């Protein structure tokens, strides 16, 4: 079998590979603390589960419109209007099975071979993978620890040229937890406003924010027409397995993205979408309680990592990841990923899983209990002390 050439350019998400390795070790009797996978350990809020079950019983088990059920598109439009402070209506919304397809579809819809796409590095690995897959030129913008895990706006501006087609932003960020400042967002908008460039603003962690208000570049003057907002239910409502996310974009692009959906998924599961309406419009107390618990865990893991010789950990303002610098241990990121898993029973990811600029870092997801986080910290400390 000879695969299409483009397949050799497609990347992957290592988190799933490390999870599989950890599960295989567990099957052999090892005890592993899971800090590798980016999903809340909480259950989906009870009111949302009930709405999903009710929808199944009510016969919401058929195909629906490719762009999503009108009632959910309207609820999303209302949510984005309120939280981003911009006028949005249902025609701007495409509902997908997760937020990830919005990355896939936006890049397929906008990027021709040779077009340049600026993307965060370290960043969510699917950006680079998909840019390469379509034959675009992946242009990394370095996410810098010394700027609280933000990029340098001047550096971003220096990367723009006539071939730049798309700029991908992600705040709050995976894998660093970095949150873009209002000044940086305005400066990027000022640079892009007059250019023929689109922005994919991945805001999937918009509600997992510990300080200040979430800001979207779509709210900057003249940017609504140039921005695709990616958001969804996976992280905010602990709904990773339901597969429900969305993009908010100019209506003509939404039609094209819906057409890509007709050609691939057909539509998103109908009962999942009904549950999504309840998630957005129903009781928010469980979603809010999750953020409070994440904040408590963030402080436990940041303080604990900073006590480990060779680790230096910034205190992130959002998402549920920390990205400690581990250069001081004298080990590579990949060595630490492998040895912490196999010999210390702690599953974490090498920073290089998020791009070349992740060398010298590890990513820990703190979507796990305080007790398990403390166990992991103790194991890392003891393991490195024994290695020294
Ligand atoms: N964007 C970022 C930055 C993410 O971290 C993730 C999930 O890990 C996604 C998008 C995709 O989310 P979903 O599970 O809703 O497809």
């Amino acid at each position: 079998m000879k695969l299409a050439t483009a397949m050799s350019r497609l990347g992957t998400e290592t988190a799933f590979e490390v999870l599989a390795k950890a599960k295989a070790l567990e099957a052999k009797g090892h005890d592993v603390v899971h800090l590798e996978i980016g999903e809340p350990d909480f259950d989906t809020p009870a009111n949302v589960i009930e709405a999903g079950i009710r929808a199944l019983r009510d016969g919401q088990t058929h195909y629906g419109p490719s762009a999503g059920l009108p009632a959910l598109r309207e609820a999303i439009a209302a949510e984005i209007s309120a939280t981003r402070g911009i006028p949005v209506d249902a025609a701007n919304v495409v509902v997908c099975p997760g937020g990830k397809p919005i990355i896939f579809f936006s890049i397929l819809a906008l990027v021709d071979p040779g077009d340049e796409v600026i993307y965060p590095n370290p960043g969510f690995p699917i950006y680079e993978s998909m840019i390469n897959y379509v034959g675009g030129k992946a242009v990394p913008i370095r996410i810098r620890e010394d700027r609280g895990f933000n990029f340098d706006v001047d550096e971003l501006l220096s990367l723009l040229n006539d071939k730049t087609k798309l700029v991908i932003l992600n705040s709050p960020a995976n894998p660093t937890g970095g949150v873009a400042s209002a000044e940086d967002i305005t400066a990027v908008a000022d640079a892009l406003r007059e250019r023929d460039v689109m922005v994919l603003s991945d805001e999937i962690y918009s509600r997992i924010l510990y300080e200040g208000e979430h800001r979207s570049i779509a709210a900057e003057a003249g940017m609504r027409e140039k921005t695709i907002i990616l958001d969804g239910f996976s992280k905010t409502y602990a709904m990773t397995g339901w597969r429900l996310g969305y993009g908010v974009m100019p209506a003509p692009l939404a039609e094209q993205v819906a057409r890509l959906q007709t050609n691939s998924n057909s539509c998103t599961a109908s009962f999942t979408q009904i549950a999504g309406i309840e998630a957005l419009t129903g009781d928010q107390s469980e979603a809010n309680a999750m953020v409070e618990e994440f904040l408590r865990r963030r402080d436990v893991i940041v303080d604990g990592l900073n006590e480990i010789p060779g680790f230096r950990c910034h205190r992130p303002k959002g998402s549920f990841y920390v990205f400690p610098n581990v250069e001081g241990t004298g080990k590579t990121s990949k060595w630490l990923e492998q040895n912490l898993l196999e010999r210390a029973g702690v599953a974490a990811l090498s920073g290089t899983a998020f791009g070349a600029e992740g060398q010298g870092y590890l990513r820990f997801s703190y979507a796990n209990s305080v007790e398990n986080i403390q166990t992991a910290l103790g194991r890392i400390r003891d393991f490195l002390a024994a290695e020294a």
Side-chain angles (χ1 to χ4, degrees), residues 13 16 38-39 97-101 103 123-127 170 172-175 202-205 230-235 239-241 243-246 320-321 363:
E13 212 184 325
F16 289 102
E39 70 170 342
K100 216 185 227 176
I103 303 172
F124 190 49
I126 301 308
Y127 308 141
N170 174 215
N174 177 9
D202 185 341
E203 303 179 16
I204 197 126
Y205 298 100
L230 180 165
D231 204 338
F233 298 78
S234 300
K235 318 289 175 176
M239 290 178 74
T240 47
R243 307 311 299 137
L244 190 62
Y246 55 86
F320 42 71
Y321 308 109
R363 188 196 79 170

Side-chain angles (χ1 to χ4, degrees), residues 324-336:
N325 183 309
V326 293
E327 283 166 340
T329 63
K331 311 286 189 197
T332 66
S333 301
K334 197 72 197 166
W335 188 94
L336 284 166

Side-chain angles (χ1 to χ4, degrees), residues 26 30-34 308 339-341 343-347 372-386:
E26 283 175 319
H30 291 242
D31 183 61
V32 178
V33 180
H34 290 273
I308 298 175
N339 286 274
L340 287 177
L341 176 58
R343 296 165 61 199
V346 177
N372 286 340
I373 290 168
Q374 274 161 342
T375 301
L377 289 166
R379 288 182 184 179
I380 299 167
R381 207 179 308 122
D382 294 348
F383 172 73
L384 288 174

Side-chain angles (χ1 to χ4, degrees), residues 78-148:
E79 166 81 8
I80 294 294
S81 301
T83 55
R84 294 352 186 244
I86 51 172
V88 171
D89 69 40
N92 300 115
V93 178
V94 182
V95 179
C96 292
K100 216 185 227 176
I102 292 296
I103 303 172
F104 195 85
F105 294 149
S106 302
I107 291 175
L108 279 179
L110 293 170
V111 181
D112 273 323
D115 285 347
E116 296 192 5
V117 182
I118 300 175
Y119 72 101
N121 190 329
F124 190 49
I126 301 308
Y127 308 141
E128 189 183 88
S129 167
M130 278 306 298
I131 300 163
N132 288 333
Y133 178 72
V134 301
K137 181 172 172 205
V139 179
I141 173 72
R142 190 151 69 95
I143 303 299
R144 303 165 57 120
E145 184 188 358
D146 61 1
R147 300 202 77 245

Side-chain angles (χ1 to χ4, degrees), residues 171-226:
S171 173
N174 177 9
T176 61
V179 173
S181 70
E183 301 76 56
D184 283 3
I185 290 174
T186 302
V188 174
D190 289 345
L192 299 184
R193 192 169 296 114
E194 303 303 327
R195 285 179 176 264
D196 188 13
V197 169
M198 291 290 293
V199 176
L200 172 58
S201 183
D202 185 341
E203 303 179 16
I204 197 126
Y205 298 100
S206 60
R207 287 272 296 268
I208 305 178
L209 185 65
Y210 309 118
E211 284 175 33
E213 297 272 299
H214 174 68
R215 292 182 68 106
S216 174
I217 193 165
E220 299 288 317
M223 290 306 291
R224 193 160 51 89
E225 300 76 13
K226 299 168 110 49

Side-chain angles (χ1 to χ4, degrees), residues 266-324:
S266 293
C267 61
T268 306
S270 301
F271 59 91
T272 294
Q273 294 189 64
I274 301 285
I277 298 172
E278 174 63 24
L280 286 180
T281 60
D283 180 14
Q284 301 295 304
S285 54
E286 286 190 55
N288 293 338
M290 273 192 271
V291 179
E292 275 173 39
E293 179 58 19
F294 281 139
L295 175 60
R296 199 165 78 90
R297 295 170 181 184
R298 177 197 70 172
D299 290 337
V300 170
I301 197 163
V302 169
D303 293 342
L305 288 172
N306 277 324
E307 280 169 17
I308 298 175
F311 277 59
R312 178 178 70 226
C313 189
H314 173 78
R315 197 174 304 271
K317 293 186 187 152
S319 80
F320 42 71
Y321 308 109
V322 284
F323 204 63

